[in-house]
């Protein structure tokens, strides 16, 4: 969540300014911010002046965009990998995707705790199509990027990442550089993979993907 826009005119808002407006105008129900106001007040869109600026995500009880329903019909039959990221899988219709994909589709769950048991997702060594990558989302996907040797590509667009993600990437690159120095340089692709993997670890699981589609249940 690093973008905000107006629900009325559709204009994109400066995200840092949006965060500042929230801090100044919206009360903190957790009571952790001593500077937060006691009562919430609206703040207007800088373009249309209506109070409709919000993060560009689908909030609870809000309708999904029309494109979601179009893409589901067209894409679901062709999906071979479904990634379920940071969700409780308790809200429909988004949660129906986990059992609407083909039976040969692998499902990767990225979350702090297992979810979707009632929807047919299986955890543990007996599962043949579900992979549980437990941990912080940024860390899990950074591990995945390392394993796929995409880290250099990510570094090239790091300026587009949120500050917390950039910091995590910088730490990972620094860790890898230290490992490379300790190993006396990288001499092969196999050694390169070893170095890249040594700073990760969250993306691990006892579940093994099926060797062919007939093994998926």
């Amino acid at each position: 969540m690093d973008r905000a826009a107006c629900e009325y005119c559709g204009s994109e808002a400066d995200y840092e300014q949006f965060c500042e407006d929230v801090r100044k105008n919206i009360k903190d129900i957790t009571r952790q911010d001593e500077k937060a106001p006691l009562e919430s007040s609206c703040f207007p869109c800088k373009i249309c002046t209506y109070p409709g600026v919000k993060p560009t995500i689908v909030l609870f009880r809000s309708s999904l965009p029309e494109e979601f329903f179009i893409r589901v019909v067209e894409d679901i039959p062709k999906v071979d990998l479904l990634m379920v990221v940071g969700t409780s899988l308790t809200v429909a219709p988004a949660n129906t995707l986990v059992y609407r994909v083909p039976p040969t589709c692998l499902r990767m769950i990225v979350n702090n705790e297992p979810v979707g048991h009632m929807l047919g997702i299986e955890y543990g060594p007996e599962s043949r199509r579900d992979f549980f990558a437990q941990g912080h989302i940024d860390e899990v996907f950074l591990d995945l990027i390392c394993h796929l040797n995409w880290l250099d590509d990510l570094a090239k667009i790091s300026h587009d990442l949120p500050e917390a993600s950039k910091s995590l990437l910088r730490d990972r690159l620094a860790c890898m550089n230290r490992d490379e120095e300790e190993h006396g340089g990288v001499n092969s692709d196999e050694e390169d993979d070893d170095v890249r993997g040594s700073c990760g670890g969250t993306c691990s699981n006892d579940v093994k993907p099926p060797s062919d589609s007939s093994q998926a249940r």
Side-chain angles (χ1 to χ4, degrees):
M1 185 176 67
D2 59 352
R3 297 175 57 198
C6 178
E7 285 283 276
Y8 292 97
C9 69
S11 299
E12 186 163 346
D14 179 270
Y15 188 70
E16 294 301 325
Q17 182 60 52
F18 167 73
C19 292
E20 183 62 24
D21 288 338
V22 169
R23 282 190 287 268
K24 289 182 177 179
N25 295 277
I26 306 301
K27 69 178 181 181
D28 179 14
I29 60 175
T30 66
R31 299 181 179 178
Q32 294 181 0
D33 185 357
E34 297 179 353
K35 297 181 179 179
L38 297 178
E39 296 295 332
S40 296
S41 59
C42 298
F43 54 91
C45 168
K46 301 296 189 289
I47 305 300
C48 70
T49 72
Y50 284 101
V53 182
K54 60 176 280 293
T56 53
I57 58 174
V58 179
L59 300 177
F60 185 63
R61 296 188 184 279
S62 298
S63 299
L64 289 168
E66 183 69 22
E67 185 178 7
F68 170 83
F69 300 97
I70 296 174
R71 297 254 54 95
V72 163
V73 174
E74 296 181 0
D75 294 343
I76 281 293
K78 300 176 288 186
V79 173
D80 55 15
L81 172 63
L82 178 69
M83 292 186 177
V84 180
V85 183
T87 174
S88 62
L89 283 179
T90 58
V91 180
N95 66 348
T96 66
L97 298 182
V98 299
Y99 57 78
R100 293 171 66 182
V101 293
T104 54
C105 174
L106 300 180
R107 300 180 296 196
M108 177 179 176
I109 316 301
V110 184
N111 214 42
N112 282 328
E113 61 279 325
V115 294
H117 295 89
M118 300 297 292
L119 300 175
I121 295 178
E122 298 179 350
Y123 295 88
E126 298 303 317
S127 175
R128 302 306 302 164
R129 65 179 299 200
D130 298 323
F131 180 90
F132 182 37
Q134 186 174 22
H136 188 278
I137 293 172
D138 274 6
E139 294 175 352
V140 168
F141 278 101
L142 190 54
D143 283 343
L144 181 59
I145 288 170
C146 286
H147 289 305
L148 293 171
N149 287 327
W150 292 350
L151 201 60
D152 292 338
D153 295 324
L154 180 63
K156 293 176 183 177
I157 59 170
S158 61
H159 56 277
D160 291 330
L161 299 176
E163 187 53 43
S165 300
K166 283 193 285 189
S167 177
L168 189 65
L169 176 58
R170 285 193 296 266
D171 291 345
R172 180 64 61 89
L173 290 170
C175 177
M176 287 174 54
N177 289 334
R178 287 195 300 270
D179 279 359
E180 288 179 2
E181 291 175 0
E182 292 175 2
H183 284 76
V186 176
N187 299 316
S188 67
D189 290 340
E190 184 176 350
E191 289 177 359
D192 186 47
D193 289 340
D194 290 340
V195 171
R196 290 175 184 273
S198 65
C199 291
T202 60
C203 196
S204 61
N205 201 312
D206 291 334
V207 178
K208 303 299 182 183
S211 57
D212 57 60
S213 58
S214 64
Q215 290 178 288
R217 314 190 279 182

